[in-house]
Amino acid sequence: MELSAFLTLATVLSVLATLVITRIAPDVVLMAALAFLVISGILTPSEALAGFANPGVMTIATLYVVAAGLKETGAIQWLAHRLLGQPRRLRQAQLRVLLPASGLSAFMNNTTVVAMFIPAIQEWAARLRLPTSKLLLPLSYASILGGTCTLIGTSTNLVVDGLLQSERGISLHMFELAWVGVPLVVIAGGFLYLMADRLLPNRQGALEQLEQAREYAVEVRVIPQGPLEGKSIADAGLRSLAHGYLADIERDGELMTAVPPETKLQADDILVFVGAPECARELRRVHGLRPANGDVRKLDIAHHRRCLVEAVIGPDFTGIEQTVRESRFRSRYQAVILSISRHGRRLPGKLGDIRLQVGDTLLMETAQEFVSQYQYRKDFLLVSALNDSTPPDFRKAPWALGILGAMVLVSATGLLSILEAAFLAGGAMLLTRCVTASKARRYLELSVLIVIAASFALGNAMDKTGAASQIAQWLLLVDGLSPWIALVMVYALTVAFTELITNNAAAVLMFPVAAAVAEQLGVSIMPFAIGIMFAASASFMTPLGYQTNLMVLGPGGYRFVDYLRLGAPMSLLAGGIVIGLIPLIWSF
């Protein structure tokens, strides 16, 4: 090997080792590697930065805006509640997890899908007295499987498609991967349905116990002629929230306590929930409820700019020993108090009559700028916003779903490329105000985009210096090796990389190796490129290989061995299906 090839391999090995054995952020590691390749002269600046202009990377960035619109309008949650329903047994619950999660993940970011499903599944577990560990890991695996069915289902598919476009002039169609992805979902999903209950532990998640949390009472009103009117408490999904419980119902001036789950909701019912501050965030995402406090509607703050904030009253607060009403809190702070907690316990009675004291913790609805405005002032000892507490604008959910459907349609029919369709969809989300420009910026995961784009520099260096060809020669030590065996080796190596580092980085690193293997064998690159797509996506054996696996680690109470117990047979099954089908569809 030449010195440049040796330095490139040393850089790749250093990146892999650093990602595995240290906690340094992947974007920092990859950018350091990119800088070294430029400074050492292995790559020119334009070659090193080519990944930032790759169509696949730009498509992923644009799809973040589309996903933001779907989440901000509550479209995903609206779909989830209708698709999941109200199962009565574990088997029904598992089936209702696998089908919607895999179906939705084929057309939208599976990380967003999993994030929206986790609260609903925790609600099931609480109501049915089932361990969350039986449901959450199948949710992650189902979303991974579903993402392999279409070109936009997972960022890995878009990354490899971008490489094929830029280096080979080959562009895949929206549903071209479905020939392998759909059989994979059916067979591997069937395995999950049959074996998840047996192979996963009976273990509760790491949810904070209600008694240990700050406790509030939050009142919401049933919207007249809304989707919850006439439904029972159980059918509305209000019986067992993840962070609180329904304590009372106020109807026509009468208080109903210890309400049975079959009680039908009526218009203008006031529901009193008791729980942690996150309970208020959960209730804001239920379509058909609105805050019962009339002052909330008087706030001169746009709907999409509101959030929930907790604040602890300090000694310099001007309304100490005054009632909430006397303190003129809303007009003074442009915030409405939803509930008050004292010494960790909620204060009963009418909010307007409660006298405020130093140390009281207020749960408020206010503007997103409240925290930055008051966190250093002496009115409050502590001010913090609840994450993801802006209420969805359900009125725009049909718009968001329509835009998603149009994007899929025009790209599937070949009228526009994936990138062009994504650009139009992202612009439509902004124009229809499904998501604001400021919110869309916050949804862009720059660290992920940097990792993907910087990984291209390593791939370019391996190709330019001949390091990829050298690795290919090592893989093909046996003379007369068949392309099918070579595909198995490339697939296995990609799976190993994916379990240790990020899936996108693994795909980018393996692409030049696969290209060199195909060239030395004198066969088409397509079976190897498709194999990398599936191998890099099908990460089941560790929580680190795929982001959705990591998301369910805490809520499901999982340990590393749980992933290996179910993930190892899943990986073997997926590998057998993929490697068996690819040569039948894309010939060598």
Side-chain angles (χ1 to χ4, degrees):
M1 283 193 300
E2 295 183 0
L3 178 61
S4 59
F6 176 80
L7 286 176
T8 299
L9 283 178
T11 303
V12 171
L13 292 175
S14 299
V15 167
L16 293 175
T18 304
L19 291 174
V20 172
I21 65 178
T22 73
R23 294 187 177 181
I24 302 176
D27 53 337
V28 175
V29 175
L30 268 300
M31 284 302 296
L34 182 150
F36 172 77
L37 293 173
V38 173
I39 293 170
S40 63
I42 295 174
L43 293 178
T44 64
S46 59
E47 290 171 336
L49 299 175
F52 290 90
N54 185 272
V57 177
M58 291 307 301
T59 304
I60 294 167
T62 310
L63 287 176
Y64 278 131
V65 179
V66 178
L70 291 166
K71 187 173 182 181
E72 287 297 308
T73 59
I76 298 176
Q77 188 177 15
W78 182 83
L79 278 174
H81 276 288
R82 278 151 184 77
L83 293 173
L84 293 176
Q86 299 294 326
R88 302 297 179 186
R89 297 189 301 274
L90 176 62
R91 282 291 186 183
Q92 292 178 345
Q94 287 178 327
L95 188 61
R96 296 208 180 204
V97 165
L98 298 176
L99 293 178
S102 57
L104 291 174
S105 295
F107 300 103
M108 61 186 73
N109 186 286
N110 51 14
T111 302
T112 305
V113 173
V114 170
M116 298 301 293
F117 271 50
I118 285 176
I121 290 174
Q122 289 174 322
E123 177 191 319
W124 286 355
R127 184 174 64 253
L128 302 177
R129 301 187 183 278
L130 297 173
T132 53
S133 58
K134 299 286 188 181
L135 297 168
L136 290 180
L137 197 55
L139 167 68
S140 175
Y141 288 174
S143 70
I144 292 173
L145 292 171
T148 64
C149 293
T150 66
L151 194 57
I152 64 171
T154 174
S155 57
T156 307
N157 294 350
L158 292 167
V159 167
V160 178
D161 180 60
L163 286 167
L164 285 171
Q165 289 183 46
S166 58
E167 299 188 16
R168 301 300 172 106
I170 301 172
S171 181
L172 296 175
H173 302 300
M174 170 71 83
F175 293 107
E176 196 165 346
L177 300 177
W179 294 104
V180 177
V182 172
L184 179 62
V185 168
V186 172
I187 299 172
F191 174 83
L192 268 178
Y193 179 68
L194 294 174
M195 301 303 296
D197 187 22
R198 301 180 186 180
L199 296 178
L200 289 176
N202 188 336
R203 195 180 299 134
Q204 293 295 335
L207 282 175
E208 184 180 43
Q209 294 299 314
L210 189 61
E211 293 77 18
Q212 299 171 345
R214 296 173 302 286
E215 190 177 76
Y216 296 102
V218 182
E219 297 182 357
V220 290
R221 186 185 300 273
V222 177
I223 298 175
Q225 299 179 346
L228 299 187
E229 186 179 352
K231 282 190 175 182
S232 69
I233 294 171
D235 291 340
L238 301 175
R239 186 59 181 173
S240 298
L241 298 177
H243 299 283
Y245 62 91
L246 178 61
D248 307 306
I249 295 180
E250 184 180 330
R251 178 178 295 170
D252 298 328
E254 295 184 3
L255 193 64
M256 304 164 57
T257 60
V259 187
E262 60 271 12
T263 302
K264 300 289 185 181
L265 297 174
Q266 296 182 10
D268 289 321
D269 277 354
I270 296 178
L271 313 182
V272 182
F273 289 85
V274 174
E278 290 79 8
C279 179
R281 182 182 62 193
E282 283 185 275
L283 292 171
R284 288 158 70 87
R285 296 193 172 275
V286 177
H287 189 23
L289 297 178
R290 67 184 178 199
N293 191 332
D295 285 349
V296 171
R297 295 193 294 277
K298 299 177 184 177
L299 277 179
D300 188 22
I301 303 170
H303 188 74
H304 64 272
R305 298 185 63 83
R306 298 184 182 189
C307 67
L308 296 178
V309 171
E310 281 191 289
V312 179
I313 292 178
D316 293 333
F317 180 75
T318 55
I320 292 176
E321 296 303 333
Q322 293 180 348
T323 65
V324 173
R325 188 179 297 107
E326 293 168 348
S327 69
R328 300 176 61 246
F329 191 92
R330 176 177 57 82
S331 57
R332 181 174 294 171
Y333 293 100
Q334 270 299 294
V336 171
I337 299 175
L338 300 178
S339 189
I340 302 175
S341 175
R342 182 173 296 163
H343 306 304
R345 297 296 178 187
R346 66 185 176 95
L347 294 182
K350 290 188 176 181
L351 274 174
D353 298 333
I354 295 177
R355 293 192 176 276
L356 300 171
Q357 297 181 9
V358 175
D360 284 354
T361 305
L362 312 179
L363 182 65
M364 304 175 292
E365 181 166 335
T366 183
Q368 296 169 354
E369 297 79 14
F370 187 94
V371 174
S372 59
Q373 186 176 357
Y374 287 99
Q375 62 181 343
Y376 298 118
R377 288 177 52 172
K378 296 181 179 180
D379 301 57
F380 304 102
L381 296 174
L382 179 68
V383 180
S384 65
L386 267 67
N387 291 330
D388 198 23
S389 61
T390 301
D393 189 356
F394 288 106
R395 298 171 301 171
K396 293 188 180 294
W399 280 101
L401 291 172
I403 292 169
L404 175 67
M407 183 190 76
V408 172
L409 181 64
V410 298
S411 58
T413 54
L415 293 176
L416 296 174
S417 68
I418 298 291
L419 178 59
E420 292 167 339
F423 273 141
L424 288 178
M429 289 290 186
L430 295 172
L431 288 174
T432 57
R433 307 294 291 175
C434 289
V435 63
T436 62
S438 59
K439 279 281 184 71
R441 290 190 197 99
R442 288 201 288 271
Y443 274 94
L444 287 174
E445 297 192 31
L446 290 179
S447 60
V448 175
L449 296 173
I450 289 172
V451 166
I452 297 171
S455 299
F456 278 79
L458 290 178
N460 290 340
M462 291 176 66
D463 189 34
K464 179 180 179 180
T465 62
S469 298
Q470 182 61 57
I471 295 174
Q473 289 178 12
W474 290 338
L475 289 176
L476 303 175
L477 284 177
V478 180
D479 292 333
L481 192 69
S482 72
W484 188 84
I485 297 298
L487 175 61
V488 172
M489 297 170 68
V490 169
Y491 186 96
L493 192 56
T494 307
V495 169
F497 278 7
T498 300
E499 299 295 354
L500 296 175
I501 60 176
T502 65
N503 53 325
N504 292 312
V508 175
L509 288 176
M510 283 302 301
F511 186 86
V513 175
V517 168
E519 184 177 346
Q520 293 182 25
L521 290 175
V523 297
S524 170
I525 191 179
M526 285 304 295
F528 296 95
I530 302 299
I532 288 174
M533 283 185 175
F534 282 91
S537 295
S539 173
F540 305 114
M541 290 188 287
T542 69
L544 305 176
Y546 208 91
Q547 189 170 357
T548 58
N549 289 347
L550 197 58
M551 289 170 64
V552 300
L553 177 65
Y558 296 114
R559 301 167 187 162
F560 274 52
V561 68
D562 300 326
Y563 290 82
L564 194 60
R565 187 183 295 118
L566 182 59
M570 279 284 294
S571 293
L572 290 173
L573 179 62
I577 296 168
V578 171
I579 294 171
L581 289 176
I582 283 178
L584 300 178
I585 301 161
W586 295 274
S587 57
F588 288 109

